[in-house]
Amino acid sequence: AKRLSRLSVVTWEQNDIAGRPLVAPIFEGINENDLLIADVTTLNFNVTYEIGFAIGSRKRVFLIKHSGITRDEESVRRVGIFDTLGYEPYRDSDELFRKLSYPIDDTPIEMASGFDSKAPLYVLETPVRTEEMGYIISRVKKVRMNFRSFTPSEHSRLSAMEAVTHVANSLGVLVPLLQSYVVDSNIHNIRAAFVIGLAHGMQKATLLLQGGDAPVPLDVRDFVETYRHPKELDELIEKLARDVFAALQGRDELGLPETGLLASLSLGDPMAENEFQTLGSYYIETDEYRRTQRGEVNLVVGRKGTGKTALFAQVRDRLRRDRQNIVVDLKPEGYQLVKLKDDVLKYLSKGARQHLVTAFWEYLLLLEVCYKVLEKDADIHLRDHRLTEPYRQLSASYYRESVDTKGDFSERLTELSHRIATAYSSKHSASEDVHLSTGEVTELIHKEDLHKLSQQLSEYLSFKKGVWILFDNLDRGWSAHGLTADDVLMVRALIDAGRKIQRGMQRDEHDFHCVIFLRNDVYQLLMDETSDFGKEMRASLDWRDPDLLRKLVHLRLQQNPELPKDVEFDRLWREICVSHLEGVDSFQYLIDRSLMRPRNVLKILTHCRGSAVNLGHGKIEEEDIRKGLAAYSTDLLTEIDQELTDIDASANGLVYVFLREASEFSPEDIPILLELKSVPIEKMEQITQFLLYFGFLGVKIANDEPQYIHDVGYDMKILRALIAKHPVVVRFTINPACWPALSIQP
């Protein structure tokens, strides 16, 4: 390194030229010279900023301090920057002249040349966690920028080298200034000057924030972004995020095709039924999946679109890999029980209904296990002498009992339902409130001795490893007039029958499991009517973690041969979609409108991608997201309306009364709106609970963020408690996912 033995000194006053910005010649002087000499006797924002700028510009900084002035010594110590950089003390001008006359090393401070892609943002936090600082951190998290920060509550002093290292390893720097009346504002603002100076010198993306109308230091007047309300920060932080992610992309090329990527991109089908052949390659094996596969649950509950059918298929396929397992997968449609409900149940007393339907399911499930065993071992029993005689006995009993059809389960269900209805009608005609004895129920359902069939099946299962009954789709095809008491009875009786068979077979030491897949709202109705169902071992598929939805999409993206397999999701996502929208990470923006349902996330992406491809865009732009959300919103509103109607026929078309209404309103407004649909007064509270339960409505307390059902762990008690505890300031909000379809403006 060379040493400067003779200095040609230029002061900042000499650079002051009329008509030019005052700070411009200072920056030019720093850039054009080898050394910056700065006096730090008293703390000065502008000087500190220039010191940081010089260091960031790879210039040598030589600090001097008058030893006879002690006014800011305590503050200098607390700031931490200058004493860690080092400075030369002087008593008078003669001593200063002598020290500047000695050769001075002009080697700049060494700093990293790379960056931390996992945390590309550096945040200088304030000594006091103000409301604004909390909001800033919240928004940074919203835009999905991982960050490192200097936190005064954890570190009392900011080392100069620590600041240099963190800024050098970042692609963006965020620094808020404090107004003078805030505790320790002078300490923080000096640190802020140094950090923002470093960032400008290194040409990093920066955001320097000033709240209110306080005076702004001269050197940074052109760079400061002022705000008067925290909400104004959204757009500013989004812009910083875009700059950071643009810099990140520019330094990390993935070598993707320049054109046609979106057109060839596949995310799979939102409906699990349409992708059974490929689902296994990108299915997320959640804890709920593993618990079901291990036989720890007998109920799997979840809302539409949360992955019940996908889990059903994956558990079934995994268990089938072991040929010693018997897997009975049953997927009927609800309409196949119409004959039984219309011609039998409505004439029976309540007790007789429960008795008959439970026996009906027990008989049918037992027959289906027999059918699957006989089908699976149709050839094997001829080659295995151990199975030959038990197989023949079981086969004879089964065919004496079974319905007269060789079709699939749905046909056998329909045939048995028809057979019972015919037998009942011939004996009881249309008598009202009929009571049936156990013998009469047996006569209606069984042909022979069911106990004997059960015993023979149990003996045969001793040659098998495990038996699984997986029952899905019972709520499919239910009446458009809403869920009736008989529908709930059908489900409750099915669960009872499955539990009874399972207990009996497990007493005989068989690994036997009956798992029923059920919509969450139907399960809730069962809970309301029968408290015992709270004791059932169940797996809930209601999604709570946005990162799991990211993983779901990431796995699907990785199935595309054009995309690399070892790149993290956020990096990949920025290649196919604009990074931010309305101050939020764009993928989080979509999740917030998905009601936390995987199917909805895939639907939104499909619509957005379709818009981008149709308009010839290289990636999904803001315009495509808005158009995609508009199409999805229409679909979603139709689905919500149908879900509500499934539960209560009077709710049909009810969501459309919110057309062109405000995005939020008071609880007192709800009855006024519901009156437009002629909803009876006694049902208004129930309908409001439905709207909250399905996520159409959320609860907002004062200026807090709205809370939807998925934000409170799908616990309606929490939403009710929020409403009850804050009656004066509570507001209802319509889910933003429904705004486009209902023409709602925030």
Side-chain angles (χ1 to χ4, degrees), residues 539-579:
S540 174
L541 296 188
D542 288 327
W543 293 56
R544 298 173 174 84
D545 187 356
D547 287 334
L548 266 184
L549 292 176
R550 283 183 165 82
K551 183 177 180 181
L552 178 146
V553 175
H554 192 196
L555 288 173
R556 288 170 178 256
L557 287 174
Q558 288 178 320
Q559 301 307 306
N560 291 269
E562 301 90 346
L563 298 178
K565 303 292 185 289
D566 56 349
V567 177
E568 62 183 15
F569 174 74
D570 288 341
R571 178 70 185 88
L572 205 56
W573 176 252
R574 293 193 297 272
E575 289 291 341
I576 63 175
C577 184
V578 63
S579 62

Side-chain angles (χ1 to χ4, degrees), residues 118-183:
K118 294 183 178 179
L121 181 69
Y122 180 56
V123 179
L124 184 73
E125 294 196 36
T126 55
V128 178
R129 178 58 79 91
T130 62
E131 181 181 348
E132 288 84 357
M133 189 71 241
Y135 191 85
I136 288 169
I137 295 298
S138 172
R139 298 314 297 182
V140 168
K141 291 177 180 178
K142 278 275 190 181
V143 296
R144 294 280 298 178
M145 267 198 300
N146 293 329
F147 65 95
R148 290 161 288 115
S149 66
F150 172 76
T151 309
S153 61
E154 301 290 336
H155 307 282
S156 58
R157 285 158 42 85
L158 176 62
S159 158
M161 287 310 302
E162 177 189 350
V164 170
T165 300
H166 280 305
V167 174
N169 286 335
S170 302
L171 292 176
V173 173
L174 192 159
V175 176
L177 296 176
L178 283 178
Q179 298 197 49
S180 58
Y181 57 79
V182 180
V183 175

Side-chain angles (χ1 to χ4, degrees), residues 270-288:
M271 301 291 290
E273 294 89 340
N274 297 336
E275 53 174 5
F276 280 159
Q277 301 304 315
T278 57
L279 184 60
S281 60
Y282 44 73
Y283 182 75
I284 299 177
E285 296 187 356
T286 60
D287 180 60
E288 290 77 16

Side-chain angles (χ1 to χ4, degrees), residues 459-621:
E459 291 172 0
Y460 194 88
L461 292 179
S462 62
F463 300 105
K464 298 299 176 181
K465 184 175 181 179
V467 180
W468 294 77
I469 300 175
L470 305 176
F471 204 116
D472 190 18
N473 270 11
L474 186 61
D475 50 8
R476 282 280 187 91
W478 273 343
S479 169
H481 301 299
L483 190 63
T484 66
D486 286 340
D487 291 324
V488 176
L489 170 66
M490 284 285 183
V491 177
R492 187 165 64 245
L494 172 61
I495 295 172
D496 286 341
R499 188 166 45 187
K500 182 178 178 181
I501 295 174
Q502 179 173 306
R503 282 200 302 262
M505 291 297 177
Q506 288 179 349
R507 276 198 301 269
D508 292 343
E509 299 184 350
H510 298 306
D511 184 22
F512 195 104
H513 306 277
C514 182
V515 184
I516 296 167
F517 294 72
L518 200 59
R519 244 173 45 197
N520 210 329
D521 50 340
V522 178
Y523 173 77
Q524 193 61 48
L525 284 173
L526 289 171
M527 285 283 292
D528 292 342
E529 293 193 10
T530 314
S531 59
D532 284 350
F533 279 101
K535 301 175 184 177
E536 294 289 337
M537 295 299 294
R538 66 185 177 98
S540 174
L541 296 188
D542 288 327
W543 293 56
R544 298 173 174 84
D545 187 356
D547 287 334
L548 266 184
L549 292 176
R550 283 183 165 82
K551 183 177 180 181
L552 178 146
V553 175
H554 192 196
L555 288 173
R556 288 170 178 256
L557 287 174
Q558 288 178 320
Q559 301 307 306
N560 291 269
E562 301 90 346
L563 298 178
K565 303 292 185 289
D566 56 349
V567 177
E568 62 183 15
F569 174 74
D570 288 341
R571 178 70 185 88
L572 205 56
W573 176 252
R574 293 193 297 272
E575 289 291 341
I576 63 175
C577 184
V578 63
S579 62
H580 295 86
L581 186 67
E582 295 181 12
V584 180
D585 166 76
S586 57
F587 193 77
Q588 184 63 48
Y589 188 87
L590 302 185
I591 289 177
D592 290 342
R593 286 150 181 78
S594 71
L595 280 64
M596 289 299 289
R597 303 187 191 186
R599 182 187 298 171
N600 288 354
V601 172
L602 296 176
K603 281 186 175 182
I604 297 172
L605 287 177
T606 299
H607 285 306
C608 294
R609 171 187 165 275
S611 173
V613 170
N614 291 340
L615 295 175
H617 294 161
K619 64 164 58 175
I620 298 172
E621 303 289 352

